[in-house]
Structures are given as C-alpha cells and as structure tokens.
Amino acid sequence: MRKSNLTIDNRLSLTGFVASHPKRSISPSGIEHCRFVFEHRSQQTEAGLARQAWCKIAVSLSGQQLIKQTQSITVGSKLLIVGFITTHKSNNGLSQLVLHAEQIEFID
C-alpha cells in the first residue's frame, strides 16, 4: 500500500438529520456529553450505476463549547457533522460504530 502525504487517518463528514432525542450527561470529571442517533440518506454512483445510500450512526459530542453550540439540536434537525469514528461496546457486549463530532453545522 502506497503511503500518502495526507495525515487524515480517521475523518468522516456526513450530512443528515437527528433521528433520536439528544441525551445529555455530565461525566464524573465534569465534562459535558451529548449523544443521539444520526440518519443519512443519499444517492451515490457506484460502478456507473445509481445506488441509494442509507445509514444510522450514533453521534457523541463532548466538551462545553461544542455542547453550547448545539443546544438547539432536536429530532429532525438537519446537520453536517465532521469528526472521527471509533467503536464503543454497549452494556450487552455488542460493538457499535460511533461518530465523535468535532464540528457541527446546521443545514437550512
């Protein structure tokens, strides 16, 4: 595999809408968190053919500045989210991909 000059190892940019009510919490160390389910739908071209793309992914926001910026997030809010993905293990032991948001923009 050829090494690229780019240093982007784990970057995801996704548009879509908030599909669940945001759940807000504060960790024992005082860091604010917000989690919600995000849904994306689009049409993509693959091998010269149109294809419907669809996914739901958990989103996690952390830190006071990002939380304040997103106080108005509600179910149905259209957003552009940029961040990185990682795996979280749920209480039942299943692995789930989670998008950790670093930038959020509201889309009108």
Side-chain angles (χ1 to χ4, degrees), residues 7 10 14 28 30 41 46-47 67 70 77 98:
T7 59
N10 183 346
L14 199 61
R41 293 180 183 271
E46 182 176 38
I67 297 292
T70 60
S77 294
V98 176

Coordinates of all heavy atoms in Angstrom, one line a residue, residues 7 10 14 28 30 41 46-47 67 70 77 98:
T7 N -2.3 13.5 6.2 CA -2.3 12.9 7.5 C -3.7 12.7 8.0 O -3.9 12.7 9.2 CB -1.6 13.9 8.5 OG1 -2.2 15.2 8.4 CG2 -0.1 14.1 8.1
N10 N -8.5 9.2 10.1 CA -9.8 8.8 10.5 C -10.7 10.1 10.5 O -10.8 10.8 11.5 CB -9.7 8.2 11.9 CG -11.1 7.7 12.4 OD1 -12.1 8.1 11.9 ND2 -11.1 7.0 13.5
L14 N -20.4 13.9 7.2 CA -21.7 13.3 6.9 C -22.8 14.3 7.1 O -22.9 15.0 8.1 CB -22.0 12.1 7.8 CG -23.0 11.0 7.5 CD1 -22.6 10.3 6.2 CD2 -23.0 10.0 8.6
P28 N -18.2 12.2 35.6 CA -17.7 12.5 37.0 C -16.6 13.5 37.0 O -16.5 14.2 38.0 CB -17.2 11.1 37.5 CG -18.0 10.1 36.7 CD -18.2 10.7 35.3
G30 N -16.7 16.1 35.1 CA -17.3 17.4 34.8 C -17.4 17.7 33.3 O -17.8 18.9 33.0
R41 N -29.2 9.8 4.2 CA -29.7 9.2 3.0 C -29.2 10.0 1.8 O -29.2 11.2 1.9 CB -31.3 9.2 3.0 CG -31.9 8.4 4.1 CD -33.4 8.5 4.0 NE -34.0 7.7 5.1 CZ -34.3 6.4 5.0 NH1 -34.1 5.8 3.9 NH2 -34.9 5.8 6.0
E46 N -22.0 4.1 -8.1 CA -21.0 3.1 -7.9 C -21.0 2.2 -9.2 O -22.0 1.7 -9.6 CB -21.4 2.2 -6.7 CG -20.4 1.1 -6.4 CD -20.8 0.4 -5.1 OE1 -22.0 0.1 -4.9 OE2 -19.9 0.1 -4.4
A47 N -19.8 2.0 -9.7 CA -19.7 1.2 -11.0 C -20.6 1.7 -12.1 O -21.1 0.9 -12.8 CB -19.9 -0.3 -10.7
I67 N -21.0 21.6 23.1 CA -22.4 21.3 23.7 C -23.2 22.6 23.6 O -24.4 22.6 23.3 CB -22.3 20.8 25.1 CG1 -21.6 19.5 25.2 CG2 -23.7 20.8 25.8 CD1 -22.3 18.3 24.6
T70 N -24.7 23.5 20.3 CA -25.7 22.5 19.8 C -26.9 22.4 20.7 O -27.6 21.5 20.7 CB -25.1 21.1 19.6 OG1 -24.6 20.7 20.9 CG2 -23.9 21.2 18.6
S77 N -33.5 17.9 13.2 CA -32.5 18.9 12.8 C -31.6 18.4 11.7 O -31.1 17.3 11.8 CB -31.6 19.3 14.0 OG -32.4 19.9 15.0
V98 N -19.3 4.7 16.5 CA -19.8 6.0 17.0 C -19.0 7.1 16.3 O -17.8 7.0 16.2 CB -19.7 6.0 18.5 CG1 -20.1 7.4 19.0 CG2 -20.5 5.0 19.2

